[in-house]
Amino acid sequence: MTTQLSWTASPSAACWQAAEHWAAGRMPAAATMHEALAVKFAAPADALGAFLRDENIPTTLFFEHLTPAACDIESNRALAHTALTKTVGRGRAEVLAERTAGLLTDCEAAYFAAFPKLREELELRYRPLRELWDARGPGLVAGVGRRTDRGLIPEAARVAAVPPYLGGGGWAAPASNTVVFAMVLANPIDQLPETLRLGWLVSLLNFDLPDFAEALPADRAREVAAWSMLPAVLEAAADVELVWPDTTGQLLATAAGAWLPTALRGGEVDVSGERLAAVTGWWTTARGNAAPWGVKLRALARLLVETA
């Protein structure tokens, strides 16, 4: 099985990515972007962040629903209601949607004024990656499926292109079958093509299916899923000549350090030598037996707790 990707350049999704980072105090990597946002976007983004905190709305979870939903929903009232319902429930969404929609509109007005040609720019930015994906991506994810569980490979998925606010990165939103991906003009790490990072994120989209979700601890599901697919993706990438075989573990360490922070949606990421050794040992064992992937996930979850 392989995956058909659809690509979308959504200025609204880009706006919410920026709003989430700005409200959390994470400044843009590029000085030019910082200058453009500081003029008028800072105030409405700060207001949105303050509102979410004051109303005890989990900020990361709210944006996790808001950003991919913006690719489909144009009305800010409907967008706010959808994100709030998924974050805090329908009852509170009914009460908070109108105020939230107003704050979203203020953010968008400032963001779109700062980047009036963003859609065209994003379409230009994702074109090279799309071409590279068409050449190697299908073979990459097929190889991942053979090494793990073919049920993990979605038949289709969407890539939401956003600017590289932090200099690169991306995360998977299984609920909307979307990968939110920062479009850079060159690979941030020479030995790890962005095609490979994209394939890894695509491989995380089906972890919300019952066969896999039920095997994951609720409080660490994203972390266990992300770690579990790293060695499989690196091996599959060697098959399609995206990387050299990772005989020393250097690529695993580099990928974990570079990719996990944005994929796990914030927070500290432990990529210690002990943890990398545990994941490597787990993969050696997992690769050599025929146990269901859910059983292997439970084993990895225990190892990650032991090395925390």
Side-chain angles (χ1 to χ4, degrees), residues 17 20-21 26-27 29 60 63-64 162-174 178-184 188-189 194 197-198 200-201 204 222-223 226 230 254-271:
Q17 176 209 224
E20 178 181 7
H21 287 315
R26 296 187 289 266
M27 295 296 104
T60 300
F63 282 108
E64 185 168 320
V162 295
Y165 186 100
L166 298 177
W171 50 278
T178 298
V179 170
V180 179
F181 203 82
M183 296 297 162
V184 293
I189 302 171
E194 288 294 272
R197 189 204 303 245
L198 179 57
W200 172 63
L201 292 171
L204 302 179
R222 189 187 296 271
E223 179 187 14
L230 274 176
T254 302
W259 296 353
L260 285 172
T262 54
L264 297 183
R265 311 285 287 118
E268 295 295 322
V269 178
D270 179 3
V271 291

Side-chain angles (χ1 to χ4, degrees), residues 16-123:
W16 308 133
Q17 176 209 224
E20 178 181 7
H21 287 315
W22 192 279
R26 296 187 289 266
M27 295 296 104
T32 53
M33 181 181 289
H34 184 276
E35 292 168 2
L37 293 176
V39 176
K40 293 184 179 180
F41 181 74
D46 286 340
L48 176 59
F51 169 77
L52 296 174
R53 290 190 296 273
D54 292 345
E55 296 294 339
N56 294 313
I57 299 169
T59 302
T60 300
L61 185 59
F62 174 77
F63 282 108
E64 185 168 320
H65 294 304
L66 183 77
T67 302
C71 296
D72 299 313
I73 302 173
E74 293 187 5
S75 162
N76 279 339
R77 176 65 170 76
L79 181 61
H81 192 276
T82 296
L84 288 167
T85 298
K86 292 181 178 181
T87 306
V88 295
R90 185 174 298 276
R92 292 196 69 202
E94 294 291 345
V95 175
L96 298 171
E98 202 65 43
R99 173 63 176 146
T100 306
L103 292 166
L104 296 184
T105 298
D106 292 343
C107 284
E108 277 192 335
Y111 190 81
F112 295 167
F115 306 104
K117 297 182 179 180
L118 184 58
R119 187 183 302 277
E120 293 84 353
E121 292 172 3
L122 288 173
E123 288 173 348

Side-chain angles (χ1 to χ4, degrees), residues 210 252 280:
L252 177 64
T280 300

Side-chain angles (χ1 to χ4, degrees), residues 140 147 196 232-246:
L140 172 65
R147 287 169 167 82
L196 179 51
V233 166
L234 290 170
E235 275 196 9
D239 288 350
V240 295
E241 299 181 343
L242 279 171
V243 299
W244 294 104
D246 188 24

